[in-house]
C-alpha cells in the first residue's frame, strides 16, 4: 500500500487487517459460484470449455451442447443424437436405444448426425434421410460403425411403421486426410452439413474454429462464419 499510494499506512495497520479478515470470512461463507454455461438440459463448466483449448480432446458435454445449437440453427430439420447413443447401441442393441426417439420422428428430418467416440477418437456418421444415404466421416478410415447405424435405422423404421425406410439405403465413406483434432472436425462437419455449407476447411483452420466454437457455446448460439 505504501508503494502504491506513496503514503505511510503503518498507523492504520489494525484497521486494514480487520478489513482483510472480514472480507476473508465473507468469501469463505459465500464462495464465488463456478463459471457455468447453462442451455436447456446442458451445463458446461470451465473445465468442459477448456477442452477446446490447444490440442485437447473434446468431451461429451461440449459435443452434445454444440449438437443442440446445431439443431436450433437448422430449425430442427436436422437431428443430432447424443454422443452416448452409439455406446448404448453397441452394448444393448436397438432395444437399448429405441426410447431415445420416443418424442422424435427421425424420418421427418432431412439429416441425422451421429457422433461416435472410439476411446481416443471421434468420428461422425450421417444419415441423409431424404436420399436414404449413410456417410461416414472418419479421419482414420474406420468403416465399422456404419453397419450399426444402418441396422438401427432399419429397426427404427420398422418400429415406427415407416416401411419406405426399411430398405434401399446406400453407404458412402468420403475420404478425409486430417489426423488430429478429430472432435473439432466432427463438430465442424456437423455444422457444415446441417447448414448446407461446403466442407471448405482443413487442419490449419482448426485453431480458429476452436475459438469460434468456444464463443458459440458461451453465447448459446451459432455465429455466421467469417
Amino acid at each position: 500500500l505504501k508503494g502504491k499510494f506513496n503514503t505511510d499506512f503503518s498507523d492504520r495497520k489494525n484497521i486494514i487487517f480487520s478489513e482483510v479478515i472480514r472480507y476473508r470470512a465473507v468469501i469463505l461463507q459465500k464462495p464465488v459460484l463456478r463459471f457455468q454455461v447453462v442451455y436447456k438440459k446442458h451445463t458446461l463448466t470451465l473445465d468442459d470449455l477448456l477442452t477446446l483449448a490447444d490440442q485437447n480432446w473434446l468431451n461429451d458435454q461440449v459435443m452434445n451442447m454444440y449438437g443442440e445449437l446445431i439443431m436450433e440453427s437448422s430449425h430442427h430439420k436436422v437431428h443430432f443424437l447424443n454422443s452416448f447413443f452409439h455406446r448404448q447401441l453397441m452394448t444393448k442393441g436397438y432395444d437399448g436405444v429405441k426410447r431415445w426417439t420416443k418424442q422424435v420422428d427421425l424420418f421427418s428430418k432431412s439429416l441425422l448426425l451421429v457422433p461416435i467416440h472410439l476411446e481416443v477418437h471421434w468420428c461422425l456418421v450421417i444419415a441423409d434421410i431424404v436420399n436414404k444415404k449413410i456417410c461416414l466421416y472418419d479421419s482414420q478410415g474406420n468403416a465399422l460403425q456404419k453397419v450399426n447405424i444402418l441396422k438401427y435405422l432399419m429397426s427404427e423404421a420398422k418400429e415406427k411403421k415407416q416401411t419406405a425406410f426399411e430398405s434401399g439405403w446406400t453407404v458412402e465413406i468420403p475420404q478425409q486426410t486430417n489426423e488430429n483434432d478429430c472432435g473439432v472436425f466432427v463438430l465442424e462437419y456437423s455444422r457444415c452439413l446441417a447448414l448446407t455449407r461446403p466442407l471448405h476447411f482443413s487442419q490449419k483452420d482448426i485453431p480458429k474454429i476452436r475459438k469460434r466454437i468456444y464463443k458459440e457455446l458461451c453465447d448459446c448460439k451459432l455465429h455466421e462464419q467469417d
Side-chain angles (χ1 to χ4, degrees), residues 7-130:
T7 303
D8 186 1
F9 287 91
S10 58
D11 61 332
R12 298 182 232 177
K13 188 181 293 185
N14 290 337
I15 296 174
I16 292 170
F17 283 176
S18 66
E19 285 297 296
V20 170
I21 291 170
R22 187 170 69 86
Y23 275 99
R24 185 181 294 167
V26 170
I27 290 171
L28 290 174
Q29 291 169 9
K30 297 181 179 180
V32 178
L33 292 176
R34 294 185 65 189
F35 177 80
Q36 289 184 334
V37 177
V38 179
Y39 182 71
K40 295 189 175 181
K41 61 184 179 182
H42 304 280
T43 299
L44 295 184
T45 66
L46 188 56
D47 287 340
D48 295 324
L49 289 167
L50 287 177
T51 64
L52 284 158
D54 302 320
Q55 297 275 320
N56 294 329
W57 298 99
L58 302 194
N59 66 13
D60 292 283
Q61 287 72 26
V62 165
M63 192 72 61
N64 292 326
M65 180 169 161
Y66 199 74
E68 190 82 52
L69 299 182
I70 287 173
M71 289 192 290
E72 287 291 324
S73 290
S74 72
H75 306 292
H76 291 276
K77 294 177 181 177
V78 170
H79 189 71
F80 187 98
L81 277 168
N82 187 291
S83 64
F84 299 106
F85 169 85
H86 185 257
R87 298 173 208 176
Q88 185 84 345
L89 179 63
M90 289 286 286
T91 57
K92 298 190 176 180
Y94 178 73
D95 286 341
V97 296
K98 68 180 181 180
R99 290 182 59 84
W100 289 45
T101 55
K102 188 176 181 180
Q103 306 298 325
V104 180
D105 179 8
L106 291 184
F107 302 104
S108 69
K109 309 293 182 182
S110 60
L111 192 67
L112 175 65
L113 302 171
V114 188
I116 295 175
H117 194 205
L118 303 171
E119 296 184 359
V120 293
H121 179 61
W122 286 101
C123 62
L124 176 72
V125 172
I126 72 158
D128 178 343
I129 303 298
V130 177

Side-chain angles (χ1 to χ4, degrees), residues 141-182:
N142 187 340
L144 294 176
Q145 287 68 43
K146 71 178 188 294
V147 176
N148 298 311
I149 301 304
L150 179 57
K151 287 182 178 178
Y152 165 75
L153 285 171
M154 293 171 70
S155 298
E156 179 77 353
K158 187 175 182 179
E159 177 75 15
K160 299 290 179 66
K161 296 181 171 54
Q162 295 279 353
T163 55
F165 293 97
E166 288 185 41
S167 61
W169 292 87
T170 60
V171 176
E172 294 182 6
I173 308 174
Q175 293 299 307
Q176 305 300 326
T177 58
N178 59 289
E179 294 297 334
N180 302 312
D181 302 294
C182 50

